[in-house]
Structures are given as C-alpha cells and as structure tokens.
Amino acid sequence: MVFVTVWRARLLAALCAIVPAATSSDARATFDSGLVRRHPDVPPVHALAHDARGFLWVGASRGLYRFDGAGFRRVTPLGFGAVVAVAADPRGRVWLARRQAAETSVYVYEDGRLERDETLGAATAPGPTALAVDGSGRLWATSPRGVFVEQQG
C-alpha cells in the first residue's frame, strides 16, 4: 500500500465527492440522547464510523468498540490507548489511529484480528488525526504533514 500527499485542488474535488449532498430543510434527524446513559461502560468518544454490515465503530479514550444496535463490545485489549480516528472500508476492514502517550499508530481490524499498519503510520508521522474512506474504497488520512490517500494498484 502506498500513500501520497494530495495537492489542494485534488483535495477539494475529493472532499466534494465524499461529503454527501445536503437534503431538504424539511428533513429532520432523530438522536437518542439516552444511548450513553444506557451504556455507561463506554468511555468518552473521539470518533465514529459506520460499516456496510450496519455496525457502528466507536473510537474512545480506552479503545475501539463495536455497537450492534443493542450493546457495545470492546474489540481492543485493555490498556490499548485512545482511538482518535476510525474508518470502515468496503472490504470489511476497520482502520483506526491509536494515541498512546505522544505516539499515534495506525491499526487495521479485520476478521477479529488487530494488526499494526506501518505503511500509513510512517507516511503520516507523527500519525493521522483523521481517517476516511471514499466511494471507491480508498483510505484517506490527515496529519500535521498534510493529506494522504491510498494509491490503488
């Protein structure tokens, strides 16, 4: 996997493709404010991602959690550190940025396994601040060094 820095014009075009179009002013979202109160075991949340199977992935101060509509399940080991960015790709992988002390590392969670990804972590050093997956399945990352996108092929 190769990541490259993206120039501003390409970035703007890509962001316009990623951000969904605004809906009419009559559309209203409904939020469940009691969700956190009903699940006090989930620590403060930093990031959210929704995957194709319908799971909500929650990056929190004590790790990565999966919400299945009924409850939260921790998928990272105890002491893992804060998950500050999360993105789910079409292949079923969940990408996450873990901050522990002054280091931010990139991991991928797939088929119940959590593995460190050295390629993206090195490209974005000192580590990504946000992750996203676009409509074609490419992984995007931001860091203090710029914006990076996975190059296919």
Side-chain angles (χ1 to χ4, degrees), residues 28-90:
R28 300 282 187 250
T30 304
F31 294 94
D32 181 356
S33 62
L35 185 63
V36 174
R37 286 192 302 276
R38 289 193 305 273
H39 299 280
D41 53 325
V42 177
V45 173
H46 299 289
L48 299 170
H50 187 253
D51 72 14
R53 296 177 301 169
F55 293 115
L56 180 67
W57 296 90
V58 179
S61 62
R62 292 192 306 248
L64 180 68
Y65 295 77
R66 187 182 78 186
F67 182 68
D68 62 7
F72 290 91
R73 182 175 72 85
R74 175 197 277 276
V75 298
T76 51
L78 288 173
F80 184 75
V83 174
V84 296
V86 181
D89 72 18

